[in-house]
Amino acid sequence: MGIVEEAHNVKILGTGDRTIVLAHGFGTDQSVWKHLVPHLVDDYKVVLFDNMGAGTTNPDYFDFERYSTLEGYAYDVIAILEELQIPRCIYVGHSVSAMIGAIASVARPDLFTKLVAVSGSPRYLNDVDYFGGFEQEDLDQLFEAMRSNYKAWCSGFAPLAVGGDMESVAVQEFSRTLFNMRPDIALSVLQIIFQSDLRHMLPHVTVPCHIIQSMKDLAVPVVVSEYLHQNLGCESIVEVMSTDGHLPQLSSPDVVIPVLLRHIRYDIAVDK
C-alpha cells in the first residue's frame, strides 16, 4: 500500500470495469457511504477514502498550511487516483467534497467522467445577489461555540445538520464521527469551508455534473443547487429530493440511494 493510500485509509471494493470514488464531507468519514456501497460493488470498482483531518486519520499528518484552502484536498484526490493508477472515475462528493471534486476536475479533467455533487455549495455566506444561507455573524458565533466547548458544540450541531429526530441513528452516527475529530483541526477545517468562495471556478468545470440536494438543508439552501446549475461551465442536471438534512445518504437512505444510483448509472445526455 502506498503512502497516500495509507494516510487516507483507502479501501477498494468490487471488481467492475468502471471506478467510482466516494468522497465524504466535513465531520464524517468513509462510513457515511455504508448504505450506498453494497449497491455498487457488483458492477463497479469502488474507492473509499478519508479526507485528511477526519477522526479516522492520523492528526499528525494534518498540515494546516496545505489545508488552508480546499485545493489541498483536491490535490489529495488527484494523488489517490494517480497512486491507484485509475485513468478515469465517476466521482461522488458529499458537501465540501462536491466542491473539492470540482476543483480537482478543473486541474485534471481527464481523470473524471462525471461528478455527482450531493449537498454541495460554492459559497455559504450571503452576498449581493447571492443567498448562501449564512451571515458572517452566524459563522463567528458558530466558531466561538466550537472553541469554547467542542463536545457540547458537537451535540448541538449534529441534530441540526442531520435534521429529523435527535435520537435517530443518523444523528448518533454523525455525532460520533464529528467528535472523533481533533477540535483544533475541526475548527480550522470548518472555517476554511464556511469562508470559501468558489463561484469564480464554476465556469471552468467541464466534466458533466449531477447536482443532488435535499429540499431542506441547514447548510445549503435549495436555491444553491439552481445557482450551481446555472453557473457551471459543464453540462449539468439538478434533482431536489424530498429529504430533510445535510447528510441525506445517512438519514434517508431509502429515498437517496435510488436517486444516487440513477445518477451514477445514467449520463445527462441519456436523461434528456
Side-chain angles (χ1 to χ4, degrees):
M1 179 178 277
I3 294 168
V4 175
E5 285 177 75
E6 189 173 351
H8 290 275
N9 304 317
V10 171
K11 290 190 183 66
I12 303 168
L13 306 168
T15 53
D17 294 331
R18 289 178 296 167
T19 300
I20 292 182
V21 173
L22 301 178
H24 69 83
F26 169 77
T28 59
D29 55 42
Q30 60 188 262
S31 67
V32 79
W33 299 112
K34 63 185 179 182
H35 298 298
L36 176 62
V37 170
H39 299 277
L40 298 175
V41 289
D42 289 343
D43 301 310
Y44 299 93
K45 182 161 79 172
V46 180
V47 176
L48 293 153
F49 71 98
D50 295 329
N51 281 327
M52 204 51 64
T56 44
T57 61
N58 184 340
D60 293 341
Y61 292 163
F62 188 84
D63 181 336
F64 284 88
E65 187 174 344
R66 178 181 175 87
Y67 301 112
S68 64
T69 69
L70 297 182
E71 279 79 5
Y73 299 96
Y75 291 126
D76 286 350
V77 170
I78 292 168
I80 289 167
L81 293 173
E82 288 182 336
E83 191 166 283
L84 297 176
Q85 298 183 315
I86 293 167
R88 296 195 89 190
C89 73
I90 296 168
Y91 176 96
V92 182
H94 172 244
S95 189
V96 67
S97 280
M99 292 299 107
I100 290 166
I103 297 168
S105 80
V106 171
R108 289 289 307 276
D110 56 298
L111 292 174
F112 302 89
T113 54
K114 80 164 95 171
L115 307 172
V116 180
V118 185
S119 311
S121 174
R123 179 182 166 102
Y124 295 87
L125 275 169
N126 298 329
D127 197 5
V128 178
D129 298 328
Y130 177 80
F131 184 66
F134 294 89
E135 296 292 343
Q136 187 62 52
E137 188 181 348
D138 302 329
L139 297 183
D140 291 342
Q141 289 175 356
L142 183 149
F143 301 145
E144 187 50 45
M146 289 180 81
R147 278 190 205 97
S148 60
N149 188 331
Y150 183 65
K151 186 169 187 179
W153 176 81
C154 290
S155 300
F157 183 73
L160 289 174
V162 175
D165 182 6
M166 288 182 69
E167 301 302 315
S168 74
V169 174
V171 169
Q172 291 174 12
E173 181 74 7
F174 184 49
S175 298
R176 179 186 66 79
T177 55
L178 198 56
F179 190 61
N180 278 346
M181 293 183 78
R182 206 173 77 187
D184 60 327
I185 291 175
L187 176 60
S188 176
V189 172
L190 200 59
Q191 284 176 320
I192 299 306
I193 293 170
F194 271 144
Q195 303 286 170
S196 64
D197 187 352
L198 297 170
R199 292 175 297 174
H200 64 283
M201 183 207 64
L202 301 179
H204 302 288
V205 178
T206 57
V207 176
C209 186
H210 297 241
I211 302 155
I212 300 172
Q213 171 70 35
S214 284
M215 181 68 75
K216 186 180 174 190
D217 181 339
L218 165 90
V220 185
V222 74
V223 292
V224 171
S225 59
E226 187 58 31
Y227 181 89
L228 286 170
H229 180 49
Q230 295 297 336
N231 289 275
L232 280 163
C234 58
E235 287 283 322
S236 63
I237 189 169
V238 178
E239 181 155 354
V240 177
M241 305 174 295
S242 61
T243 47
D244 178 2
H246 189 59
L247 296 92
Q249 73 275 44
L250 197 61
S251 57
S252 307
D254 293 351
V255 175
V256 177
I257 301 310
V259 172
L260 284 172
L261 291 173
R262 192 168 71 249
H263 285 278
I264 286 166
R265 288 171 179 156
Y266 299 109
D267 297 330
I268 292 171
V270 177
D271 290 337
K272 286 181 178 176

